[in-house]
Amino acid sequence: MAAAQGHFSDHSDGIRGTRKTAGDRVNPTETNPVPPAFRRAVEGLRAARLRPEIEVDPTRPPQRLAPHAYALEATVVAGEEDLADGRLVLLHDPAGHDAWKGAFRLVTLVRAELEPEMAADPLLPEVCWSWLTGALDARGLSYGEASGTVTMAGSHYFGGLAERRPATQIEIRASWSPQEGPAGVPDTGAHLAAWCDLLCQVAGLPPAPADPGAGPGAGTTSGAGVVSLPQRRGPQQA
């Protein structure tokens, strides 16, 4: 398993806070003190143990979605081929957020190119959404206010590109509120691992063997009621 660690790209250890001024503008020269709960949540992301096919790095977080934000980008790699990629953003508002029903929110974008037989399945959007909720449920995670979209975009090639076969990309945009623990800190490492399970499933990789130290339900990517589609590529070693 690989740890979700890397070099932070800014002076605040990659943990960004923004102070809003009149007119809901962000003053880039001022930052809020980083709350201990948010710092511990980010530490949980950094300490997560992930599948070796996952390459993950910190990236610049959005500035206007919450007072504090941290972001990771990840790619599923098999050999020299990138099978899927995505971005996971942790948002924190110490005052709480009515729409989140809590102080933390996870926001994600996942993308992958599909084989034609998968793209033709009319149930694909529902299946992809079930992969997200199933990945969270399989790791025994509690969450609320889940919402999102599943989008399919097709490309057909003509002229000098006519030899290329049609391609379809699936895009999952979603957000959910992780349950906060007794100290007000969610198990962000487990949520990151579940998100990586989703990435691997979209990429067509088989489930990873269970990690003995990962807790109940870990190491599987499909829970009860989750429908699996044929793998996009030949079986890869987990």
Side-chain angles (χ1 to χ4, degrees), residues 185-231:
V185 182
D187 188 351
T188 51
H191 281 268
L192 173 58
W195 178 71
C196 288
D197 291 342
L198 168 66
L199 269 177
C200 289
Q201 190 150 14
V202 170
L205 298 186
D211 177 1
T220 60
T221 57
S222 58
V226 176
V227 180
S228 295
L229 292 179
Q231 293 177 7

Side-chain angles (χ1 to χ4, degrees), residues 44-159:
L45 291 174
R46 297 186 66 191
R49 299 173 63 190
L50 309 176
R51 290 180 61 165
E53 298 95 340
I54 300 286
E55 294 183 357
V56 59
D57 291 291
T59 188
R60 185 178 179 88
Q63 298 297 293
R64 296 178 179 272
L65 297 182
H68 303 276
Y70 178 79
L72 292 169
E73 56 186 9
T75 304
V76 181
V77 180
E80 298 182 355
E81 187 175 10
D82 294 351
L83 303 182
D85 64 81
R87 192 169 190 246
L88 183 68
V89 180
L90 174 67
L91 304 176
H92 179 54
D93 187 339
H97 195 293
D98 291 341
W100 302 352
K101 300 295 191 295
F104 285 90
R105 188 76 171 171
L106 285 162
V107 181
T108 184
L109 166 66
V110 171
R111 296 172 298 195
E113 188 173 312
L114 303 177
E115 296 294 340
E117 63 270 18
M118 291 186 68
D121 193 313
L123 296 179
L124 182 64
E126 289 84 357
V127 170
C128 288
W129 182 255
S130 77
W131 284 345
L132 169 61
T133 57
L136 295 168
D137 295 341
R139 289 184 177 268
L141 295 171
S142 297
Y143 59 95
E145 309 306 314
S147 62
T149 62
V150 177
T151 304
M152 294 171 57
S155 298
H156 295 263
Y157 301 95
F158 302 92

